[in-house]
């Protein structure tokens, strides 16, 4: 299994993630990747409404958000979260990756998009970018995943 | 059924399953189904509405679902009903999500709904308006079926294209 240099906040604490997907299976897969990246699970949600409540409760560093969900879809949840928390860092994770969806999510305030099935090395690079993009949060993660660098890590 | 509607499902099923299972997948059979649909194992149904309307069912046996879940999660998983249902839904979500992305790139516009487990023995029958295509895929974990029944709404696409733009 590929190993990754930990993605840390500026205070050297683990990055805290909120994972939102109506599929328990998909959430578990994402949480496993977060663990590989040295992150911490702040919370999880199976629909947009719960995601908003969980965001307010846990104040995560990053949200991984599905799009097609019951009750409230991911794009609407992004809009509501960003309205209240303009610096929220939300990455859309969906199998439906057509341009209108991506544009709508970005216009509502999402920072990035990754299409399922998610490859750990792709998600890692996106998180690295999203975390280093905002100087108010930490991130500034260093190093590249071994999978990309091709060098074994101990 | 129009070939340009079918090909994205074949391409997406092949790509998603090969990628997820990290092994080649073979399209073993492709046939039009005229009879009423009968599920073979656990079936996840996804509805689509818009220029194209209908439903797609991903169907697999519980044993195959558990083998796929083990492969996807990288660890042994317990053969519970929840694991089986979750695996069917997530596979359907990924295959169909990638298919509709390809269809959208061709200019078809529609909305996809979250997957639901289809529990009745029978499903939608084929008809003049809604043809069903069955795709049988051989994966290293066993057989996976896609049953695609949908029709193209030319009128709706025309209405959308001729609607006045309101700024």
């Amino acid at each position: 299994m590929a190993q990754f240099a930990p993605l840390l906040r500026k205070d050297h604490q683990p990055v805290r993630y909120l994972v939102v997907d109506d599929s328990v299976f998909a959430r578990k897969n994402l949480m496993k990747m977060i663990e590989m990246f040295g992150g911490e699970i702040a919370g999880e949600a199976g629909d947009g409404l719960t995601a908003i409540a969980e965001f307010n409760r846990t104040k995560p560093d990053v949200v991984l958000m599905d799009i097609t969900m019951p009750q409230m879809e991911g794009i609407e949840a992004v809009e509501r979260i960003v309205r209240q928390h303009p610096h929220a860092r939300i990455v859309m994770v969906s199998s439906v990756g057509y341009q209108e969806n991506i544009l709508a999510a970005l216009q509502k305030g999402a920072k990035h998009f990754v299409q399922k099935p998610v490859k750990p090395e792709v998600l890692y690079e996106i998180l690295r970018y999203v975390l280093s993009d905002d100087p108010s949060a930490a991130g500034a993660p260093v190093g590249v995943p071994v999978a990309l660098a091709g060098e074994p890590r101990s | 059924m129009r070939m340009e509607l079918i090909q994205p499902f074949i391409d997406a099923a092949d790509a998603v399953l090969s990628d997820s299972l990290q092994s080649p997948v073979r399209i073993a059979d492709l046939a039009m189904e005229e009879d009423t649909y009968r599920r073979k194992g656990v079936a996840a149904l996804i509805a689509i509405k818009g220029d194209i309307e209908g439903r797609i069912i991903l169907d697999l046996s519980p044993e195959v679902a558990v083998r796929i879940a083990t492969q996807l999660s990288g660890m042994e998983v317990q053969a519970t009903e929840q694991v089986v249902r979750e695996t069917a839904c997530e596979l359907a979500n990924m295959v169909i999500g990638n298919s509709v992305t390809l269809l959208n790139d061709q200019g078809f516009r529609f909305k996809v709904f979250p997957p639901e487990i289809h529990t009745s023995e029978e499903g939608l029958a084929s008809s003049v308006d809604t043809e069903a295509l069955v795709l049988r895929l051989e994966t290293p974990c066993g057989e996976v079926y896609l049953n695609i029944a949908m029709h193209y709404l030319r009128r709706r696409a025309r209405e959308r294209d001729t609607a006045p733009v309101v700024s």
Side-chain angles (χ1 to χ4, degrees):
Chain A
M1 188 181 288
Q3 290 186 18
F4 298 86
L7 295 171
L8 298 174
R9 298 166 18 148
K10 269 188 179 157
D11 59 7
H12 302 291
Q13 294 301 305
V15 176
R16 297 170 66 251
Y17 296 85
L18 172 61
V19 181
V20 187
D21 199 305
D22 58 330
S23 161
V24 179
F25 196 89
R27 292 207 299 270
K28 278 186 184 162
N29 268 352
L30 287 171
M31 289 192 282
K32 203 176 81 184
M33 289 182 207
I34 287 167
E35 198 179 304
M36 287 160 65
F37 306 156
E40 193 175 273
I41 306 301
E44 52 181 303
D47 63 79
L49 274 178
T50 313
I52 295 167
E54 279 298 286
F55 188 97
N56 290 329
R57 187 181 72 80
T58 62
K59 302 287 190 295
D61 298 309
V62 177
V63 182
L64 300 180
M65 177 85 78
D66 187 18
I67 291 181
T68 307
M69 290 187 289
Q71 290 197 64
M72 184 191 287
E73 295 210 339
I75 293 175
E76 189 180 346
V78 169
E79 183 179 22
R80 293 200 190 187
I81 290 172
V82 171
R83 201 185 297 149
Q84 279 187 302
H85 308 276
H87 298 297
R89 287 188 298 274
I90 305 176
V91 176
M92 309 308 289
V93 182
S94 175
S95 56
V96 182
Y98 48 76
Q99 211 173 8
E100 285 93 335
N101 252 4
I102 298 173
L103 278 176
L106 295 177
Q107 282 167 354
K108 302 294 183 194
K111 302 288 188 203
H112 222 296
F113 180 93
V114 57
Q115 190 167 15
K116 290 180 186 174
V118 180
K119 290 188 171 76
E121 59 271 25
V122 172
L123 181 62
Y124 182 89
E125 282 304 309
I126 287 171
L127 290 172
R128 219 160 72 95
Y129 169 78
V130 168
L131 285 163
S132 59
D133 188 42
D134 186 346
S136 69
V142 291
V144 293
V146 171
L148 296 180
E151 292 173 8
R153 280 172 65 90
S154 57
Chain B
M1 195 179 291
R2 295 165 54 161
M3 196 57 202
E4 69 257 44
L5 298 184
I6 299 167
Q7 195 61 45
F9 287 93
I10 298 172
D11 293 345
D14 187 13
V16 168
L17 289 169
S18 304
D19 201 33
S20 302
L21 303 176
Q22 296 176 346
S23 185
V25 166
R26 194 172 80 86
I27 312 291
D29 197 17
L30 182 67
M32 299 305 293
E33 188 165 272
E34 294 176 357
D35 298 330
T36 301
Y37 166 73
R38 288 180 187 282
R39 77 183 159 88
K40 292 156 183 70
V42 182
L45 182 150
I46 287 185
I48 55 176
K49 285 190 175 168
D51 295 350
I52 303 167
E53 294 208 345
R55 57 97 179 113
I56 302 110
I57 296 170
L58 185 138
D59 199 344
L60 72 179
S61 75
E63 295 76 24
V64 173
V66 171
R67 284 199 285 272
I68 289 177
T70 299
Q71 179 75 27
L72 291 181
S73 60
M75 63 179 86
E76 280 298 318
V77 296
Q78 285 192 319
T80 64
E81 192 177 330
Q82 192 196 358
V83 164
V84 168
R85 285 172 172 238
E86 279 284 337
T87 306
C89 283
E90 188 54 15
L91 267 189
N93 199 18
M94 287 195 292
V95 170
I96 294 158
N98 279 264
S99 310
V100 301
T101 300
L102 296 172
L103 282 169
N104 193 275
D105 291 343
Q106 292 179 22
F108 297 107
R109 297 290 177 269
F110 45 83
K111 182 170 168 52
V112 183
F113 292 83
E116 292 171 7
I117 288 291
H118 184 70
T119 49
S120 72
E121 284 302 317
E122 295 186 353
L124 300 174
S126 301
S127 71
V128 175
D129 294 329
T130 307
E131 300 160 299
L133 176 92
V134 181
L135 190 60
R136 180 164 65 90
L137 299 132
E138 278 180 3
T139 79
C141 300
E143 290 182 335
V144 175
Y145 295 84
L146 269 188
N147 184 298
I148 305 159
M150 57 191 185
H151 59 281
Y152 173 57
L153 294 177
R154 191 184 303 277
R155 179 182 53 80
R156 188 166 295 172
R158 203 167 45 232
E159 283 170 2
R160 189 199 66 220
D161 291 343
T162 56
V165 177
V166 180
S167 57

